Amino acid sequence: MTYEAGSYDVIVVGAGHAGVEAGLASARLGAKTLMITINLDMVAFMPCNPSVGGPAKGIVVREIDALGGEMGKNIDKTHIQMRMLNTGKGPAVRALRAQADKFTYQHEMKKALENEPNLTLIQGMVERLMVENGECKGVMTQTGAVYSSKTVVITTGTFLRGEIILGELKYSSGPNNQQPSIKLSEHLQELGFELVRFKTGTPPRVNSHSIDYSKTEIQPGDDVPRAFSYETTKYITDQLPCWLTYTNEETHTLIDNNLHRSPMYSGMIKGTGPRYCPSIEDKVVRFNDKPRHQIFLEPEGRNTQEVYVQGLSTSLPEDVQQKILRTIPGLENVQMMRAGYAIEYDAIVPTQLWPTLETKNVKNLYTAGQINGTSGYEEAAGQGLMAGMNAGLKSIGKEEVILSRSDAYIGVLIDDLITKGTNEPYRLLTSRAEYRLLLRHDNADLRLTELGYKVGLIREERYEKFLVKKQAIEEEKNRLQGIIIKPASEVQALIKSQGGSELKDGIRASDLLKRPEMTYEHIQKLIPAEGTLDPDVTEQVEIQIKYEGYIEKSLQQVERLKKMENKKIPENIDYDAINGLASEAKQKLKEVRPLSIAQASRISGVNPADISILLVYLEQGRIAKISAE
Amino acid sequence: MEFDTIAAISTPMGEGAIAIVRLSGDQAFEIADRLFRGAGGKRLKDAASHTIHYGHIIDPKTGLIAEEVMVSAMKGPKTFTKEDVIEINCHGGLISVNRVLQLLLNNGARLAEPGEFTKRAFLNGRIDLSQAEAVMDLIRAKTDRAMNVALGQMEGRLSKLIQKLRQEILEILAHVEVNIDYPEYDDVEEMTHHILMEKSFYVKKEIEKLLRTSQQGKILREGLSTVIVGRPNVGKSSLLNSLVHENKAIVTDIPGTTRDVIEEYVNVRGVPLRLLDTAGIRETEDIVERIGVEKSRQVLKEADLILLVLNYSDELTAEDENIFKAVEGMDVIVIVNKMDLDQKIDMERVKELSKKHKLVTTSLLEDKGVDDLEEAIASLFFEGTIEAGDMTYVSNTRHIALLNQALNTIDEAMQGVEMGTPIDIVQIDLTRTWELLGEIIGDSVHESLIDQLFSQFCLGK
Ligand SMILES: Cc1cc2nc3c(=O)[nH]c(=O)nc-3n(C[C@H](O)[C@H](O)[C@H](O)COP(=O)(O)OP(=O)(O)OC[C@H]3O[C@@H](n4cnc5c(N)ncnc54)[C@H](O)[C@@H]3O)c2cc1C
Ligand SMILES: Nc1nc2c(ncn2[C@@H]2O[C@H](COP(=O)(O)OP(=O)(O)OP(=O)(O)O)[C@@H](O)[C@H]2O)c(=O)[nH]1
Ligand SMILES: [Mg+2]
């Protein structure tokens, strides 16, 4: 039996990290949105690390915030500690990381969904999509409810035909013993989607009471209050520490001796796991010359004794896990509360998506998050935001948005996925971005607020504040560029005290700031600004002036890229009709269907000659049209 | 990519003694002007369109004259590409056009890709629709040939050196990345400015070394590595001298005069040769000579072309036959020398041994037959029988330009380190160096950095 259950602009399937951003974005920009998820108690659940941010990922959280997303605000409200990473390095690679109270994180996120006026949140298991003539018109659940909509976003994470593997045990399940999503996976295949099998894993959790912390090193949060969101004004000061300990020879021998019981090595696991999250058995085998590996003990929240054992992801049998834990200093008497496990699941091959995250196969259908072959909460959230935004925009007849590689890490992430595909769960790394000096933690708002405002995800008040900040930065930069600092004695003294060489002549304040030993604060002492400037403003002034040369270089590269980006390839291009394209290139181009020459040139297997030929062909098309007119 | 100024040699190799270097693009006049000294002191950038100028190409670094040239200056749109075009006519054959091209590339021009002039002509509306198809075929064909070259290089020594250097840079990059992406990770030492300086310095030295060998040995002078072999006293050193038109090697009537390998560079009818005169091959007791003989055998293996010399006035010996065996399967020209003396050699047997090889007779003493020999060398080259020289020629121009750019970027990286710029920013230049080196061997895939990261370090939760 089926029944008509209602009609919406947008339906979001799943309420994980991708789903919540998708639902909120779509609702906030004015589309009537329905969210359906398997279990309402598991909204924004963290099946692995109770942690948000880190290098690259932390910058994604800032970008999400600049585009009006929720992740940053939510973690600001619910973290147990926060740290700024890479403070000793350049501004391009600084990033925030927070340890989450994973339970309050879920509760606060659920609250945000429930309080969103345009959003309806319900429990249900989606089994089919309503597809007519290649267009998605809604979804159907296990109970026969049919919801219709203009667009649909699927964000089902690791649930598609999920299978948990723990030692010799293997069973059908979603993460953390939730109900898996089997029918939907089969249905996607019926619709013609190509699926791949990926794998990931998680470490055991242990009881804090049974840990001897005196044998470990403390890892406190920063003393300075930190926040991801540009809107956060209330800071959490009461932080919990994490703890560091190490594996040892005994641990490794134990693992070696039990490898035959590991599903990784017995061939039971077939899915491709990520190289950057190897299990402890992997680490011991591949790097067997290492005498020890780091183990971080991370509290899962303020109201729980469960501690996450970072560094010990494993799918070895439960009894072996127990023994491994007890070889580690501080964990000699530890009580394991949950065993670690691996999970295998289906993901769709992401080259089947347009850059908007709409599928090529089925119109008005979008996918986001781990279903697209990524891994990680932030990667999921970033895609969720973009897919929700675009599904929402499309449903109300507005133009969709594509972030480029020079706009945001989110742009890099999506472009990599849809252009190159991935043969392992994809994780963002700073090295994936070619313009990372432009894609900084500190300037996410300068990069994206304008866009967020334009699509209706940034409210007026915040936008006004943003404009004020932007103007203050420009004014202060102009001021420093306009003032000449003379080689007066107090100036020379200050420079000398910083180990610099004395001035021979007057120098522009901005040029003096470019010297490696000088900071904005020094300059400020010599030529104080009127009134006090916000630290956010002076940080921008300092970075923008100090690294001007490098920033300029990156911008020039971006300019060149833009030219190629502007050479659009029509969607209906017939690659078979183009003489001279190498057959591998032809096949790849047909698969990816790039929208611009720049995108085409990033496809592996498409070489410069193919690009030249493509350019000539496009030009030919243009001329043909002109002569036909 | 679309709007920069491109340069390439536009005369098909091997056609006549005059070769043309063509420049096209907005900056064609400006770039040529930087190198050209007109006879009347006239500046090229002020030249009227469609005029021809006589003068010299100067190397701006040294201020020395590089070539004597005729330059045609043509302003767009009445040109082949519809852009500003400069054509530089050189006389000196391949070596001199190559030198001019190199100077242009060092002064702001980019080496044109295969078919790129034609492509521009088309994109600028100079060629009509029906010709477009032909352009695409052209691009394909030329690229395939370039690919063969790249592949040929992949196996070469240069490519091994570059791969090794790239691997070292990659390890530095991966090291920096690990520090960034896994800051809490404590068993990777932090990359410091000091280490980075040391490593960059090393990279720079290596690139300079590559450039030096490319420039001296390979581009300006290298072409076919051509080895003169034969028994002692047959006239090998005399042959070298007459091809070089100078007395470079010592000639005496004492067998065993040449004891080490002598190297000379010469341009024979536009074909660049690296001539190697060797110690005569024979069994010998003399230690020094024996070492020389050993070396002769070695250089043989690396030769593109063999000039095998026999003595007309002496009987064929077992040693001669052995030499024939040693060069089997290689490109060989057989030279029977000392024709002015009485015949003792069995010419029928010589012909038999020579098989398909060209056979030339000479009297180096009387300077006879040298023309025939030069002709034989040139035709082998231009018929395409010998490929090695062609390949190094094509790729050299490109790779020197890229090596020069790589040198600039590593310099910038080092300046950054000196200034105390954060390492992750200095890395931008280092990455660029790595990419440029990759372009030389046709490999610039970003993914390998990530591969390196995870194979070099043990990371993860
Ligand atoms: C065991 C394990 C280990 C992991 N390890 C790591 C790691 O080491 N590093 C890392 O970066 N990331 C790791 N992750 C991944 C990280 O948890 C995910 O990338 C992230 O949660 C993905 O977010 P998502 O929104 O795409 O999916 P999820 O957070 O999984 O959310 C999926 C949502 O879809 C809902 N849903 C599924 N099917 C249906 C359906 N048919 N109908 C309705 N609702 C449905 C679910 O109820 C859920 O709300 C791990 C995940 C697991 C399970
Ligand atoms: N008559 C005559 N003598 C020649 C001719 N070519 C070379 N000679 C003489 O032969 C002698 C040996 O010549 P080289 O050129 O030194 O011979 P080579 O092969 O280099 O000898 P080694 O270095 O000793 O192996 C010299 O005296 C030359 O003058 C020729 O064509 N005719
Ligand atoms: Mg000699």
Side-chain angles (χ1 to χ4, degrees), chain A residues 14-18 37 47-48 126 155-157 175 181 200-201 370 375-377 380, chain B residues 461:
Chain A
H17 304 279
T37 188
C48 205
V126 170
T155 66
T156 49
S181 182
T200 184
Q370 193 129 0
S375 167
Y377 314 135
Chain B
K461 60 174 185 179

Side-chain angles (χ1 to χ4, degrees), chain A residues 408-425:
Chain A
Y409 270 96
I410 301 175
V412 173
L413 162 73
I414 294 177
D415 183 65
D416 275 349
L417 284 176
I418 60 140
T419 307
K420 298 181 187 147
T422 180
N423 46 23
E424 66 180 332

